[in-house]
Amino acid sequence: DFNERCAQCSDMNWGLTDGGRFYCRSCHNVTERAREVVNTDFASNARVQTISKGLRKQEKTADGGCEWYVCEGFQLVLKKQAEALEALGVCPQMKDEILCNFWRRYLQKSKQAYCNRPAGETVKALSVCDSSTDVDSEPERSGLLHLLSLSESEGDLQTDCSFASSISKVSESTSVYSGSVDGSLYLMKNQKEKLRMTMPMTLSFCYMALLWLREPMTLSELLRFVVEGHIPYLNVFLHFPEKMKLCGLDLKIFCVESWPVYEEVHNKMLELAAFLDLPRFPDITDSCFLHPDMLCMKYLMEANLPDELHNWTCRVVKKIAIGEPDFLTLVPGNKSTRKVKYDVLAAAVIVVVLKLLFLLDDHYEWLLSDFAEERNKNNKEDGPYFEFKKWYKVIKSSLDVELKKLDEERAKYLWRCEKPLFYSVKKKSKVLKRRQIVVNLQNQFGKLSGSVRPAEKPNPSSFQLSWSEENTDRSCFHGHSLKGILQEKHGLLTAMNPDYWLCTVKLCTEKLCGHLAHYRDVDFPQSYHFVLRLFSFLLRINPSYIHDEVCVIEHKLFNKKLSKKPRYNTVLRK
């Protein structure tokens, strides 16, 4: 009955929402026009011939709010995170095209929207799409959806998915208090097979979109920006519109009282990509920032190591073929391919190169450093030789300061937000009164102690440690030479050190273990532990994960010699 063309895509392929409005099956644009439905259930002599369903109205709640669903809350979180990433310089199409399509696909796969009503379930979000609509058929169609473009100023919390007006509120059927309509049901359901949405998964969505676009932001950087407050995650519900009342069980869903964990976010991203049946991601080539050669250059600069080490990292990457697109590119659901952690891989390559050149056995690196120190004293004309001992002292001093500052910031962090939260209506007045007392006491003690509010945080940066020749307070080793530890052999520069010790002779194959090799700092040289500690700070992850990757690279690098040598011999000749 509706013959007008879509104002957004000019197509004429209309469907009906549960609210009776027309929507475009091509771009999912919902119009304001509603269909007049002929009612055939009345007697033939009845006067009423047609009825108009009109628009679904958001029902008001007793406390002045409006009905909202958990998926709408997560939708708002994703919108805020995408906007924050755009402000950090990420490609604008991430939110409108990539992340939006991922979210729409997730709603369909989890049967929360864009699908038929699942049989046997009485409380479920309905779809704007009928059985003829399939998101999979046009996964690359662009366009700004209402899903990630909620208008907070107008208080319009409706998404493209309309909810059945006949659904009774969960709060009425259960004794559990919740601000959202389906909060209690959401926590009661066993949705493991449907990959139920959580707050860490919002970061998995963002990282998956960044990876699809091959943006120059690693997962460790994303999580660091979250901790520093540049990306909404902790207390993100403060961005919810006033009409979206958050209380009761909603706090267990949206309140976060722990820092995001690298492994959890990464593993959820892999599960999510497989759950959505995504195709092979765009290839990671040598021109991409996520390529090991690029990331090694970045981490060498941040770790204040000589520029000449980059040639050695490139040689290792090429030798064991970990720079090939087939190795680096994510293929969702393919269990035979290894899931690459790009930042951890680059850090592990640098650690292996340092072991190749300096051995890091608490003895050989100090001998080389003494030799370089004598040479630098006697020869002032040429460029300085790299001194491992001097580098160790400079980095340790800066690292200790940064770690202490980080520990203090985490200790002082206030997990409870200024906005009072309550789990039940009965306790609301008590919570508000107690919060007011706390605020008054804080203000009084602040005036007595003369405390000054902390200054605003500086702009986010990819580098946590900065080094330059102009900085007189810190020594910069970028331009130092490696000639003191190299020798020319058959036209190639090789290390003077002929030996190499393996972190482990055999990789662990136990799936329940979670690690390919076991790491305890007391079992390894202190120099090796210090280097791991440095990169674990830069990536904000546990040193054991870098150690795992080092072991994998070593077994690839010395694969032929490992097959010949006895397993108990851990020292190899290069």
Side-chain angles (χ1 to χ4, degrees), residues 204-226:
S204 300
F205 263 103
C206 292
Y207 179 58
M208 187 166 62
L210 292 171
L211 186 57
W212 183 274
L213 290 171
R214 296 176 291 185
E215 284 287 329
M217 184 182 293
T218 61
L219 179 55
S220 59
E221 282 181 315
L222 175 67
L223 299 185
R224 179 166 59 85
F225 290 150
V226 167

Side-chain angles (χ1 to χ4, degrees), residues 220-260:
S220 59
E221 282 181 315
L222 175 67
L223 299 185
R224 179 166 59 85
F225 290 150
V226 167
V227 173
E228 292 175 355
H230 302 297
I231 299 176
Y233 181 75
L234 306 172
N235 299 328
V236 69
F237 51 83
L238 296 177
H239 298 282
F240 284 13
E242 188 62 30
K243 290 185 178 181
M244 290 180 68
K245 302 296 182 180
L246 192 80
C247 51
L249 292 178
D250 300 328
L251 304 182
K252 294 185 178 181
I253 301 173
F254 294 100
C255 277
V256 180
E257 295 187 353
S258 61
W259 305 106

Side-chain angles (χ1 to χ4, degrees), residues 6-11 13-17 21-31 100-101 104-105 108 113-115 127-130 132-147 159-162:
C6 176
Q8 183 168 329
C9 67
S10 300
D11 199 358
N13 185 17
W14 300 103
L16 278 177
T17 68
R21 287 185 293 173
F22 291 99
Y23 75 93
C24 179
R25 290 194 178 101
S26 301
C27 67
H28 302 283
N29 176 37
V30 182
T31 68
C100 189
N101 276 322
R104 183 174 60 181
R105 202 178 184 97
Q108 183 191 40
Y114 302 102
C115 62
S127 169
V128 299
C129 301
D130 58 9
S132 63
T133 304
D134 188 5
V135 176
D136 296 338
S137 60
E138 293 178 319
E140 297 180 358
R141 180 178 293 278
S142 62
L144 179 61
L145 297 181
H146 298 292
L147 280 172
T159 62
D160 279 347
C161 58
S162 298

Side-chain angles (χ1 to χ4, degrees), residues 133-393:
T133 304
D134 188 5
V135 176
D136 296 338
S137 60
E138 293 178 319
E140 297 180 358
R141 180 178 293 278
S142 62
L144 179 61
L145 297 181
H146 298 292
L147 280 172
L148 298 179
S149 300
L150 296 178
S151 176
E152 297 180 15
S153 59
E154 299 176 359
D156 183 12
L157 301 178
Q158 290 185 357
T159 62
D160 279 347
C161 58
S162 298
F163 296 96
S165 58
S166 60
I167 294 179
S168 60
K169 295 182 182 179
V170 179
S171 57
E172 295 177 0
S173 60
T174 61
S175 60
V176 184
Y177 185 64
S178 174
S180 61
V181 175
D182 58 341
S184 56
L185 180 71
Y186 191 83
L187 291 176
M188 288 189 296
K189 282 182 181 178
N190 183 14
Q191 293 187 346
K192 290 183 179 180
E193 71 281 357
K194 297 179 183 178
L195 206 62
R196 184 171 61 181
M197 192 69 183
T198 60
M199 282 301 296
M201 271 183 62
T202 60
L203 300 178
S204 300
F205 263 103
C206 292
Y207 179 58
M208 187 166 62
L210 292 171
L211 186 57
W212 183 274
L213 290 171
R214 296 176 291 185
E215 284 287 329
M217 184 182 293
T218 61
L219 179 55
S220 59
E221 282 181 315
L222 175 67
L223 299 185
R224 179 166 59 85
F225 290 150
V226 167
V227 173
E228 292 175 355
H230 302 297
I231 299 176
Y233 181 75
L234 306 172
N235 299 328
V236 69
F237 51 83
L238 296 177
H239 298 282
F240 284 13
E242 188 62 30
K243 290 185 178 181
M244 290 180 68
K245 302 296 182 180
L246 192 80
C247 51
L249 292 178
D250 300 328
L251 304 182
K252 294 185 178 181
I253 301 173
F254 294 100
C255 277
V256 180
E257 295 187 353
S258 61
W259 305 106
V261 181
Y262 186 102
E263 281 293 308
E264 180 184 1
V265 175
H266 186 264
N267 291 337
K268 282 296 182 182
M269 185 275 294
L270 299 177
E271 292 181 34
L272 193 58
F275 176 74
L276 300 182
D277 292 329
L278 295 179
R280 176 187 169 110
F281 277 50
D283 287 351
I284 304 296
T285 60
D286 54 2
S287 61
C288 296
F289 177 82
L290 297 177
H291 194 274
D293 291 345
M294 293 284 191
L295 285 177
C296 283
M297 186 185 302
K298 174 185 182 298
Y299 294 137
L300 285 173
M301 292 176 62
E302 194 163 11
N304 197 15
L305 288 166
D307 299 332
E308 294 182 15
L309 284 175
H310 188 245
N311 296 328
W312 285 84
T313 58
C314 293
R315 289 173 65 176
V316 171
V317 169
K318 185 177 180 180
K319 178 74 175 179
I320 59 180
I322 59 174
E324 300 299 323
D326 289 339
F327 176 82
L328 296 173
T329 305
L330 175 62
V331 183
N334 190 348
K335 296 181 180 180
S336 61
T337 58
R338 190 162 179 266
K339 307 305 183 289
V340 181
K341 302 168 185 173
Y342 304 97
D343 39 11
V344 180
L345 178 66
V349 169
I350 296 176
V351 175
V352 170
V353 168
L354 290 177
K355 287 181 66 180
L356 286 169
L357 300 181
F358 298 96
L359 200 58
L360 301 184
D361 64 346
D362 289 343
H363 177 68
Y364 185 73
E365 63 269 23
W366 307 123
L367 292 178
L368 292 177
S369 184
D370 293 339
F371 167 76
E373 184 180 4
E374 287 295 325
R375 185 266 174 196
N376 290 336
K377 288 180 180 179
N378 299 328
N379 191 348
K380 301 288 186 179
E381 298 178 359
D382 299 331
Y385 281 9
F386 177 69
E387 300 179 34
F388 187 89
K389 184 186 297 183
K390 186 178 180 180
W391 172 83
Y392 174 85
K393 292 179 179 179

